[in-house]
Amino acid sequence: SVMEKALNVPTMAECQAQGKLPEVLFWVGCAGSFDDRAKKITKAFAKLLQASGVSFAVLGAEEGCTGDPAKRSGNEFLFQMQAMMNIEVLNGYGVGQIVTTCPHCFNTLKNEYPGLGGNYQVMHHTQFLKNLMDSGRLKVSGGSFRGKKITYHDPCYLGRANGEYEAPRALLSALESELIEMKRCKTRGLCCGAGGAQMFKEPEKGNKDINIERSEEAIETGSSYVATGCPFCNTMMTDGITAKGAESKVAVMDVAELIAKAADL
C-alpha cells in the first residue's frame, strides 16, 4: 500500500521473518486503508509513532474488516466470520497490544473479540498518544494552533460506549488551543450520523440530516477547527460543514493530524 512505501512501515509478516515482535500493532481499519481522506489520518498517526520511537507494524493485506458494520446492521453471522479470521491472524502473530485510529475498530476489538477468543490490550490512538505524551516520548506543542479556537466532537464508540472523554481533550489542551465545547458534549454528545452502519446508506426521510444538526452545533462555537477522533465522524462533519457553506472558516481535522501538523511532521 501507499503507506508502507512512503513511511517504511513494516508488516507483521516482515517482523516475524526477522524474528522481531513490535511493541504494538497499528490496526489501520477499512477507512484508514481505503478512504482518501482517512489515509491522511493514518499517515499522521504513523509519523507520530515514528517520531516517538515506537516500534510498530501493520497487518497489511492480512487485515480484514473487524466486522463492526456487519454486526451493527444485524448480520451476526458475517461478523463472526470476519472476527474469527482476524483473531486467527492476530493470535498467530502473538499480538498483545493493538492501537487504532477508528473507534469502531477499537470498540469491536476491545469488547466483542474476547468472547470469540481474541484477547488483546486495545487502545484508541488518542489514548496511546496521551500515554506517549505523559511518558515524555512524544512532545506536543501548540505550533500553528496556539490560541486557536477548537471544538471537539466525541465519537460515540470512544465516548459514550467506552467512557473515554479525557485523552483527546488532554492532547488538544497541550496544543495550547482554546477548547470550546459544543452544548452537547461528553456523555450528552450527539452522534455524527454515521454509526450503526449508517455510513454506508442514505438516511431515511426526515426534517434534517444528523450530520447537519451536529455541524451547526460545531459552527455555533465559533471555532476554526473541529477536532475528530474517528474517520467516519471526520467525513460526516466535513460534509455537514460544506453543506452549510462554512468550509472556508472551519476545518475538520483528526486529533493526530493536529498534533502532527503542530510538530511540522
Side-chain angles (χ1 to χ4, degrees):
S1 73
V2 181
M3 183 179 88
E4 286 154 43
K5 281 190 197 74
L7 294 164
N8 297 316
V9 175
T11 62
M12 287 298 287
E14 288 164 356
C15 290
Q16 192 179 56
Q18 295 161 8
K20 284 192 274 196
L21 182 67
E23 63 178 289
V24 66
L25 168 73
F26 172 18
W27 186 277
V28 182
C30 301
S33 299
F34 301 114
D35 179 83
D36 285 341
R37 176 64 188 87
K39 282 179 196 172
K40 294 178 183 172
I41 302 170
T42 304
K43 284 181 183 155
F45 182 57
K47 284 177 185 170
L48 292 172
L49 291 177
Q50 289 178 341
S52 308
V54 175
S55 82
F56 70 101
V58 296
L59 284 174
E62 288 189 280
E63 182 189 291
C65 179
T66 59
D68 167 78
K71 188 177 181 77
R72 302 300 155 216
S73 56
N75 195 336
E76 181 66 22
F77 176 69
L78 177 58
F79 160 70
Q80 292 202 9
M81 283 200 328
Q82 291 178 313
M84 297 302 278
M85 281 165 66
N86 287 321
I87 289 167
E88 209 168 299
V89 171
L90 291 167
N91 290 354
Y93 284 120
V95 169
Q97 194 177 21
I98 302 175
V99 63
T100 180
T101 51
C102 175
H104 297 260
C105 297
F106 164 71
N107 178 70
T108 305
L109 293 165
K110 177 174 176 277
N111 298 320
E112 315 277 8
Y113 275 32
L116 298 166
N119 294 284
Y120 320 102
Q121 188 194 345
V122 186
M123 298 185 85
H124 184 254
H125 70 303
T126 58
Q127 297 173 326
F128 197 82
L129 290 170
K130 182 181 182 293
N131 287 356
L132 290 175
M133 178 176 74
D134 291 346
S135 65
R137 290 173 77 180
L138 174 68
K139 300 280 180 282
V140 181
S141 64
S144 54
F145 300 105
R146 194 170 283 125
K148 292 277 184 358
K149 290 181 179 174
I150 298 181
T151 192
Y152 171 67
H153 166 76
D154 287 286
C156 296
Y157 278 110
L158 183 64
R160 288 194 306 276
N162 286 286
E164 182 60 78
Y165 303 104
E166 201 260 332
R169 286 174 172 83
L171 291 164
L172 293 173
S173 62
L175 286 175
E176 301 166 65
S177 59
E178 190 186 339
L179 181 62
I180 302 176
E181 296 287 2
M182 287 181 259
K183 287 191 189 75
R184 286 188 270 196
C185 65
K186 298 183 182 171
T187 53
R188 294 191 62 251
L190 179 71
C191 179
C192 72
Q198 296 294 313
M199 183 75 206
F200 307 104
K201 56 179 276 297
E202 288 303 314
E204 286 82 6
K205 288 265 180 290
N207 301 329
K208 189 196 287 186
D209 288 354
I210 294 174
N211 68 316
I212 302 289
E213 173 84 4
R214 189 55 165 164
S215 297
E216 286 170 354
E217 293 182 353
I219 292 165
E220 267 168 39
T221 65
S223 300
S224 308
Y225 296 93
V226 178
T228 57
C230 170
F232 298 139
C233 295
N234 194 300
T235 298
M236 298 302 271
M237 297 304 287
T238 302
D239 289 354
I241 280 161
T242 305
K244 299 299 291 182
E247 67 271 30
S248 59
K249 298 190 289 289
V250 186
V252 182
M253 290 176 80
D254 189 89
V255 174
E257 292 181 305
L258 292 165
I259 297 166
K261 191 172 179 211
D264 281 326
L265 289 179

